[in-house]
Amino acid sequence: MISISNVTVAFGGFTLLDGISFHISESDKIGLVGKNGAGKSTLMKLICGQQSPTGGHIEMPRHLTVGYLPQIMSHHRGRTVMEEAMSAFDAFRAREAEVEAINQELAERTDYESEDYLALISRLGELNDHLSLESGDPPAVRAEKTLLGLGFRDEDFGRKTETFSQGWNMRIELAKILLTHPDVLLLDEPTNHLDIESIEWLEDYLKSYHGALMLVSHDRRFLDRVTTRTVEILLGRIHDYKVPYSQYVTLRAERMAQQVAAYENQQRMIEKTEEFIARFRYKPTKSNQVQSRIKALEKLDRIEVDETDRASLTVKFPPAERSGDVVFKAVDLTAAYPGKVVFRHADMEIKRGEKVAFVGRNGEGKTTLMRILMGQLAPAEGEARVGHNVHIGYFAQNQEDMLDGEDTVFGTLDRIAVGDIRTRLRDILAQFLFRGEDIDKRVSVLSGGERARLGMAKLMLQPYNVLALDEPTNHMDIKSKDILKQALRAFTGTLIVVSHDRDFLDGLVDKLYEFRDGRVKEHLGSVEDFLSGRRMESLQELERRFMPAVAAPKTETKARQDFVQRKSVSREEKKQRSRVAYLEKEIARCEAAMKEIEKTLSNPGPKDDIMELTRSYLEHKRDLDAWTEEWGELIEKLED
């Protein structure tokens, strides 16, 4: 369907894509992967015709329709959300008009064997295929379902598009593209501005999509569930794997290992052959053998090992002073802006060492609570306070607004660093892949992923005991996200993170606060436990909305009341068991740390600080006693 042949893209003396070739078939579901700046977005622009290659060519059928969602786009103004979504059907109506015109022309023509007549028949078939795919629900119903799936509410449909943020306008553009049902979908990081529920809806939509898909995403789970083929861009070259992302990672490692092994075997053979030639070159009795081996070396197809980009983050957060037991506490908290209440009556307690996620739809108050936590916004009602000796490192969602575009990478850190840390700025930047000339780049020319890395580097300038991260992985490539996740798992302080990346949150956090419908609800357990429950609720909501209503009984039966009571008890028991599991993990970690300190204290070295080790041991002991006591009380409740 689409053929990319020997395509090269070069800027000045730099070659971004170097003679790449591959084919996109009509049912391909392709995940396009590679580091930030590898050329993924450029390749999409080439396919949809927004950019021309330096060399090579791209071929596709004349009537092929392509829907392209870029990372950055312009948005229409002056229309409501529903009016803008319904504009997607302009092409549908145009196809209907073209079908009517072709039928009229065919009825009047008699040159049944001519090429023009056969071309009209072919075009009519293409149009009818498109229209049959788009048949079903009326356009208004399809638009409503799509907008609801992407997170909009009924009350949003009549609002003007300019009253929404850039992220919500991206959702409108995505809805329009999906509603046009093009032959080829090109989606460049579509999940960056979606919440978890909308991502899951988009997953289901794309899995059943009848057409070709090329997708750029740094969400490993999204790629695994949606794509069946992975195309990697590495140092300007293409590597094509007919498997989803996780299988590609395994196959790529196996391919590289086999390639290296074959290369090393061949090099040993070449070395022995050259030794034989050098040893017997001038011996007449060996001349035939020598000449034979010289010719064999000349004809040898030499194995080359593919170049790899091994540069990666090396994140390790600096140790910090111990905070109080309670890091943040909110009681009956209401958050509001002028004319708008975001959420009401929230109760929350985050303890030292916990790793907590804020989840929920965009606009429900996650970032608002982060601002209250940072003291940037006062509560409308209720109480919100930060605990004793808490030092918070904040990564804001709007990093572009927080960074000075006219400053350089090095200057961004140098301007705020104080004391001895200033001598280590180049080392810190190198950890985040800013090396050599990169540190002199202006912030305005950095990619989204580079800005995210620079924002994260700022957190290394002080030893924070609490990290508050608002969407830290947006635009980060998968490898960088994995390294950041491991660093956060090893972080001994408290973590509060806003994220919609399920793979990033999985195994990182053990408590979630869900922001929904103006309320904040605590969920103990993993992100998968939370998603399973929400998935069922979402399905029930859709059934209630698009299925005929069934009259509910006016009064609850005794059986119903008993069921509700058992369900309430079950939820409390699940909450207690989750807390027990968390305490058991913390007790084990604490005991292991104490054993290490005891080992050091039994045989201290010249550089060991006995006072500091003793202080740390006593702090661990206090934590261990408190956690063990709480664990015992919970076990007693569960046994009763």
Side-chain angles (χ1 to χ4, degrees):
M1 186 168 64
I2 299 179
S3 180
I4 293 95
S5 302
N6 201 32
V7 165
T8 296
V9 175
F11 304 99
F14 174 69
T15 300
L16 182 64
L17 301 175
D18 189 5
I20 64 170
S21 298
F22 68 102
H23 185 81
I24 302 174
S25 299
E26 60 185 14
S27 59
D28 275 340
K29 301 287 190 293
I30 300 172
L32 189 61
V33 302
K35 283 203 164 190
N36 296 127
K40 303 185 294 294
S41 298
T42 298
L43 181 56
M44 286 193 165
K45 290 175 183 175
L46 292 172
I47 293 172
C48 70
Q50 290 191 8
Q51 190 170 328
S52 299
T54 309
H57 56 277
I58 298 174
E59 296 179 350
M60 64 182 73
R62 185 163 60 95
H63 294 297
L64 193 76
T65 55
V66 178
Y68 173 49
L69 181 78
Q71 284 189 43
I72 301 172
M73 67 198 77
S74 57
H75 306 297
H76 299 283
R77 302 170 67 88
R79 288 196 282 195
T80 66
V81 170
M82 183 56 75
E83 287 170 345
E84 189 63 26
M86 288 297 292
S87 71
F89 296 102
D90 292 347
F92 177 80
R93 297 186 184 98
R95 288 193 189 104
E96 287 183 320
E98 189 176 353
V99 165
E100 187 176 344
I102 290 175
N103 282 326
Q104 181 67 31
E105 185 173 351
L106 290 174
E108 295 172 357
R109 295 179 64 155
T110 56
D111 54 335
Y112 308 122
E113 303 297 327
S114 69
E115 290 186 6
D116 285 347
Y117 192 92
L118 294 176
L120 283 173
I121 293 292
S122 176
R123 177 58 178 159
L124 183 62
E126 290 176 4
L127 290 168
N128 282 324
D129 286 344
H130 270 292
L131 292 174
S132 66
L133 286 173
E134 297 175 11
S135 62
D137 291 330
V141 173
R142 290 172 54 200
E144 184 180 347
K145 285 184 176 181
T146 303
L147 289 170
L148 290 170
L150 290 173
F152 289 93
R153 302 178 187 274
D154 287 315
E155 56 266 30
D156 296 328
F157 295 165
R159 283 176 55 186
K160 298 288 187 182
T161 58
E162 57 265 32
T163 65
F164 288 88
S165 68
Q166 181 179 349
W168 283 100
N169 271 283
M170 185 282 291
R171 296 188 191 209
I172 298 172
E173 293 303 312
L174 176 57
K176 288 165 58 180
I177 291 169
L178 298 180
L179 288 168
T180 61
H181 208 290
D183 299 308
V184 183
L185 268 176
L186 304 176
L187 305 180
D188 195 348
E189 297 195 27
T191 62
N192 270 356
H193 297 286
L194 299 182
D195 50 63
I196 289 177
E197 291 180 48
S198 299
I199 290 173
E200 294 202 317
W201 178 88
L202 183 60
E203 256 179 24
D204 292 337
Y205 182 95
L206 295 178
K207 280 192 289 189
S208 60
Y209 185 76
H210 297 289
L213 168 69
M214 178 176 279
L215 170 71
V216 173
S217 177
H218 300 315
D219 185 329
R220 185 200 315 266
R221 192 169 305 190
F222 189 69
L223 287 170
D224 275 341
R225 292 183 176 179
V226 171
T227 66
T228 56
R229 177 181 169 193
T230 303
V231 173
E232 176 191 36
I233 303 180
L234 177 66
L235 300 174
R237 301 283 185 172
I238 284 287
H239 301 278
D240 197 347
Y241 298 80
K242 311 299 184 187
V243 293
Y245 181 82
S246 291
Q247 290 176 256
Y248 139 78
V249 172
T250 303
L251 291 178
R252 183 180 185 274
E254 291 174 356
R255 180 180 69 84
M256 293 301 299
Q258 292 168 0
Q259 195 178 66
V260 169
Y263 172 79
E264 290 174 348
N265 287 336
Q266 189 182 70
Q267 289 301 304
R268 283 194 290 270
M269 182 274 290
I270 291 171
E271 185 179 348
K272 289 179 180 179
T273 304
E274 289 175 340
E275 286 177 1
F276 181 90
I277 293 170
R279 183 177 178 185
F280 299 110
R281 182 184 291 273
Y282 301 109
K283 286 195 175 185
T285 57
K286 299 283 188 180
S287 62
N288 288 339
Q289 295 179 48
V290 168
Q291 289 302 315
S292 174
R293 297 195 183 194
I294 289 174
K295 289 179 181 178
L297 282 183
E298 290 174 350
K299 294 178 180 178
L300 184 67
D301 186 8
R302 304 209 174 207
I303 298 170
E304 294 183 0
V305 177
D306 290 338
E307 290 184 89
T308 57
D309 187 347
R310 298 183 181 276
S312 63
L313 305 184
T314 52
V315 184
K316 186 177 181 182
F317 293 99
E321 292 183 10
R322 182 179 181 277
S323 72
D325 289 341
V326 176
V327 167
F328 178 72
K329 187 176 182 66
V331 179
D332 201 28
L333 175 65
T334 295
Y337 295 100
K340 177 178 174 60
V341 175
V342 184
F343 59 80
R344 298 179 184 274
H345 309 305
D347 292 316
M348 179 181 298
E349 183 174 87
I350 299 174
K351 295 183 178 180
R352 186 184 70 254
E354 287 187 327
K355 291 182 168 58
V356 178
F358 292 170
V359 298
R361 294 179 176 179
N362 293 342
E364 291 283 0
K366 303 184 298 294
T367 297
T368 300
L369 186 54
M370 281 287 201
R371 293 188 63 202
I372 291 174
L373 175 70
M374 294 304 300
Q376 298 174 0
L377 181 68
E381 294 177 12
E383 180 184 2
R385 67 174 185 271
V386 172
H388 172 67
N389 201 36
V390 167
H391 303 290
I392 305 176
Y394 182 43
F395 181 95
Q397 185 183 98
N398 56 333
Q399 279 298 303
E400 293 188 9
D401 298 334
M402 304 291 286
L403 300 172
D404 183 357
E406 295 303 310
D407 208 345
T408 64
V409 169
F410 182 84
T412 298
L413 266 59
D414 186 52
R415 187 160 41 84
I416 59 176
V418 294
D420 295 340
I421 195 72
R422 299 190 68 182
T423 63
R424 296 182 47 243
L425 293 185
R426 291 177 185 273
D427 293 335
I428 291 172
L429 287 170
Q431 291 180 47
F432 290 88
L433 306 184
F434 295 106
R435 302 184 176 100
E437 296 178 356
D438 291 339
I439 69 172
D440 297 320
K441 283 183 179 178
R442 297 253 177 223
V443 171
S444 58
V445 304
L446 299 181
S447 68
E450 287 172 325
R451 292 186 188 213
R453 297 203 308 265
L454 181 58
M456 200 61 62
K458 290 171 63 179
L459 296 182
M460 311 294 281
L461 299 182
Q462 293 185 44
Y464 298 109
N465 52 29
V466 177
L467 294 177
L469 312 180
D470 195 350
E471 301 286 11
T473 61
N474 272 3
H475 304 294
M476 270 195 184
D477 59 66
I478 293 175
K479 187 176 180 181
S480 296
K481 285 200 304 184
D482 287 345
I483 293 169
L484 176 61
K485 178 177 176 178
Q486 294 309 314
L488 292 172
R489 290 181 69 176
F491 177 58
T492 57
T494 306
L495 172 66
I496 304 168
V497 59
V498 175
S499 179
H500 58 251
D501 190 322
R502 298 154 299 175
D503 190 63
F504 181 71
L505 293 177
D506 189 28
L508 176 61
V509 301
D510 42 37
K511 183 162 78 171
L512 300 93
Y513 284 99
E514 181 190 16
F515 292 68
R516 184 177 180 83
D517 298 330
R519 303 288 178 179
V520 181
K521 182 180 179 182
E522 181 186 77
H523 295 266
L524 294 179
S526 69
V527 68
E528 273 303 315
D529 293 336
F530 164 73
L531 288 175
S532 297
R534 286 300 303 125
R535 197 174 293 119
M536 289 302 299
E537 290 180 32
S538 295
L539 288 173
Q540 291 165 1
E541 286 174 11
L542 286 175
E543 287 175 4
R544 285 195 296 270
R545 183 178 185 94
F546 293 107
M547 296 284 285
V550 178
K554 293 182 180 180
T555 59
E556 288 187 324
T557 65
K558 179 66 166 61
R560 170 64 180 166
Q561 292 170 349
D562 290 342
F563 171 76
V564 171
Q565 186 175 1
R566 287 197 305 272
K567 190 174 180 182
S568 176
V569 172
S570 175
R571 284 177 178 170
E572 181 61 28
E573 183 178 331
K574 182 179 178 181
K575 185 175 180 180
Q576 290 174 351
R577 291 190 183 279
S578 296
R579 182 64 181 172
V580 166
Y582 170 76
L583 288 171
E584 287 173 345
K585 184 175 69 174
E586 290 302 305
I587 288 169
R589 181 181 64 80
C590 201
E591 288 175 338
M594 290 171 68
K595 284 181 181 178
E596 287 298 315
I597 296 173
E598 288 172 357
K599 190 187 300 182
T600 305
L601 287 173
S602 66
N603 187 23
K607 293 185 178 180
D608 290 323
D609 188 336
I610 304 299
M611 295 297 292
E612 176 61 25
L613 286 169
T614 303
R615 184 189 65 79
S616 180
Y617 183 87
L618 292 173
E619 287 181 354
H620 282 303
K621 180 68 166 63
R622 186 173 69 178
D623 289 342
L624 181 63
D625 291 343
W627 286 333
T628 303
E629 183 180 352
E630 184 183 354
W631 178 85
E633 291 173 354
L634 287 171
I635 291 296
E636 286 182 7
K637 289 180 181 178
L638 290 170
E639 289 176 349
D640 288 343

